[in-house]
Amino acid sequence: MRTRTLRRAGLIAVAAGAIATLAACSSTPSASVDAGSETPTTTAEPAGARIAVSYEGGILVLDGESLEPVADLESEEFTRLNPAGDGRHVMVTMSEGFQVLDTAAGSTDEPALTDLIFAADTPGHVVRHGGKTVLYADGTSDTTIFDTDALLSAEDELPATETVPGVEAHHGVSVVLEDGTFLTTVGDADGRTGISATDASGAVVATSDACPGVHGEGTAADEAVVFGCENGALLYRDGEILKLDAPDQPYGRMGNAYVSETSPLVVGDYKSDPDAEGYLLRAVTVIDTEAGTLEVVDLPEGVEYTFRDIARGPEDLAYILATDGSIHVFDPAGGELIDVFPVIEAWEGPAEWQDAHPAIVVAGDIAYVTEPAADAIHAVDLTSGKIVDSATLDVTPNEVAVAAG
């Protein structure tokens, strides 16, 4: 394991684009010879993965292997980060909409918070599936859809988009399946009730109003899609919607789904007490999209987490970053914890969900874990449980997103 302290000195110049040789910070030069010349020229190798880390008023871009900073970019006071899905860009939730962060992963370019903004009134969820990136605006319930890879060739203008107008504004989410089926939540200013599915022609395929407080989504194997409810979940598959009841009624809330598109098993968060204080959770749901079942698994004492602390990874397992500071490996097939990897110091839940608290994201076999109390980030090999690198930042990390390169 390597540990280092990362300094912000000089990085503001990077944010302004003043350092022309930035790519060399994370690349190994290679020599080539121009045609007709015997003089070697130096070209930078493409960068690998990049990590975007938000902090109050800015976004750090880190090299995915060394965890060294390659850019420090100014932003609004609080921003949310979501991978765009193309391995290079990150969608930054700003007041005007979804702003495109170019991490330069997989290229020799410099990272930049571009001027490209997908306009949205109260930007919310970002969904990536089937070669499409789907952006949802809570203020209008409009859905903006574009080809994910089109961002890679976008320079001075946004890629072509399709907008599906909303009906009544609410905090929602939409999904587009490979056959053009459009799934979207239904609700209004007074609440959210369910989902609607339309085919590629716009004809209604199925609807359900049996999902109070509908929130979050996840697409599992064979394009089975799960939406969380305050009393269970909705499962869409093969043109039909199935309601899955939680064992606790009338309140057994699943609000976020953690999926692998190669597994029929969905892991969700779970809360059974609507009056519970704070944001720590002590159980998970396991939804079998083939069998059409929902099970709640209570976690051992001391294994608590928030919505930022579950990710899917190698072998379609789930990795839970708990308040004891360890990553607990959860096998959804067996419904049990099968391993534990100590990573950070024990921590307490946030007073508000926006507050900086530990988070986990996964790229391949590597988990990136933030430790706000120590202004640190760690890279963990999930196949061995070993911390392969750590870095101390000069800022307090909040949200984190990976561009895999």
Side-chain angles (χ1 to χ4, degrees):
M1 181 187 81
R2 294 177 292 166
T3 302
R4 64 182 63 79
T5 299
L6 307 183
R7 302 298 180 190
R8 295 182 66 194
L11 285 178
I12 297 301
V14 176
I19 297 180
T21 58
L22 179 64
C25 294
S26 59
S27 306
T28 302
S30 59
S32 62
V33 179
D34 292 334
S37 171
E38 296 182 358
T39 302
T41 61
T42 299
T43 57
E45 293 183 359
R50 291 281 170 81
I51 315 302
V53 178
S54 70
Y55 64 91
E56 187 173 349
I59 301 170
L60 281 181
V61 180
L62 309 178
D63 180 88
E65 182 175 351
S66 68
L67 301 184
E68 294 179 354
V70 293
D72 187 356
L73 310 168
E74 292 185 1
S75 71
E76 295 177 358
E77 181 177 359
F78 176 77
T79 57
R80 307 212 66 189
L81 304 178
N82 287 280
D86 63 355
R88 174 166 174 165
H89 296 91
V90 170
M91 310 306 296
V92 182
T93 301
M94 297 285 210
S95 56
E96 296 181 6
F98 300 92
Q99 190 164 356
V100 178
L101 167 63
D102 183 358
T103 70
S107 77
T108 58
D109 299 331
E110 299 178 6
L113 187 56
T114 73
D115 293 330
L116 302 179
I117 300 176
F118 294 89
D121 181 348
T122 316
H125 282 270
V126 177
V127 173
R128 306 154 297 277
H129 175 71
K132 304 287 185 181
T133 300
V134 183
L135 312 175
Y136 194 92
D138 291 346
T140 59
S141 284
D142 291 350
T143 301
T144 299
I145 307 164
F146 64 91
D147 290 338
T148 300
D149 287 345
L151 266 184
L152 293 173
S153 57
E155 294 184 358
D156 298 326
E157 60 182 16
L158 293 170
T161 63
E162 174 189 358
T163 299
V164 180
V167 178
E168 295 186 80
H170 64 279
H171 176 54
V173 65
S174 299
V175 186
V176 179
L177 302 185
E178 292 182 2
D179 65 358
T181 298
F182 178 72
L183 304 173
T184 192
T185 52
V186 175
D188 55 30
D190 295 325
R192 308 183 299 273
T193 57
I195 64 171
S196 173
T198 56
D199 63 20
S201 71
V204 176
V205 174
T207 61
S208 173
D209 61 0
C211 189
V214 58
H215 184 275
E217 55 70 43
T219 303
D222 299 321
E223 293 200 305
V225 187
V226 167
F227 294 81
C229 313
E230 290 182 351
N231 59 2
L234 294 181
L235 168 60
Y236 176 88
R237 62 181 185 190
D238 301 327
E240 297 182 349
I241 299 172
L242 176 66
K243 175 60 184 295
L244 304 176
D245 291 325
D248 300 288
Q249 295 292 333
Y251 188 90
R253 181 182 186 271
M254 176 184 145
N256 296 279
Y258 308 93
V259 301
S260 165
E261 295 195 355
T262 58
S263 171
L265 301 177
V266 175
V267 176
D269 56 11
Y270 190 72
K271 180 179 180 180
S272 60
D273 181 0
D275 300 319
E277 296 183 358
Y279 295 92
L280 292 179
L281 303 172
R282 300 164 180 83
V284 295
T285 58
V286 177
I287 294 174
D288 187 331
T289 60
E290 292 180 342
T293 58
L294 182 154
E295 177 187 6
V296 172
V297 179
D298 292 320
L299 298 175
E301 184 176 353
V303 181
E304 301 170 314
Y305 67 95
T306 77
F307 66 96
R308 290 182 181 169
D309 300 314
I310 301 182
R312 299 296 286 272
E315 301 183 54
D316 289 333
L317 299 171
Y319 297 83
I320 304 171
L321 177 62
T323 52
D324 63 0
S326 295
I327 295 175
H328 294 261
V329 184
F330 179 75
D331 177 11
E336 61 183 350
L337 298 175
I338 59 173
D339 212 339
V340 59
F341 308 143
V343 180
I344 62 178
E345 295 296 322
W347 53 278
E348 297 181 353
E352 301 294 338
W353 69 264
Q354 300 97 330
D355 293 344
H357 61 280
I360 181 173
V361 294
V362 174
D365 292 339
I366 301 297
Y368 296 96
V369 172
T370 61
E371 188 175 10
D375 291 344
I377 185 169
H378 310 274
V380 182
D381 185 338
L382 295 177
T383 65
S384 66
K386 295 181 179 179
I387 300 175
V388 295
D389 214 342
S390 293
T392 302
L393 312 173
D394 274 351
V395 299
T396 300
N398 197 332
E399 294 218 342
V400 58
V402 181

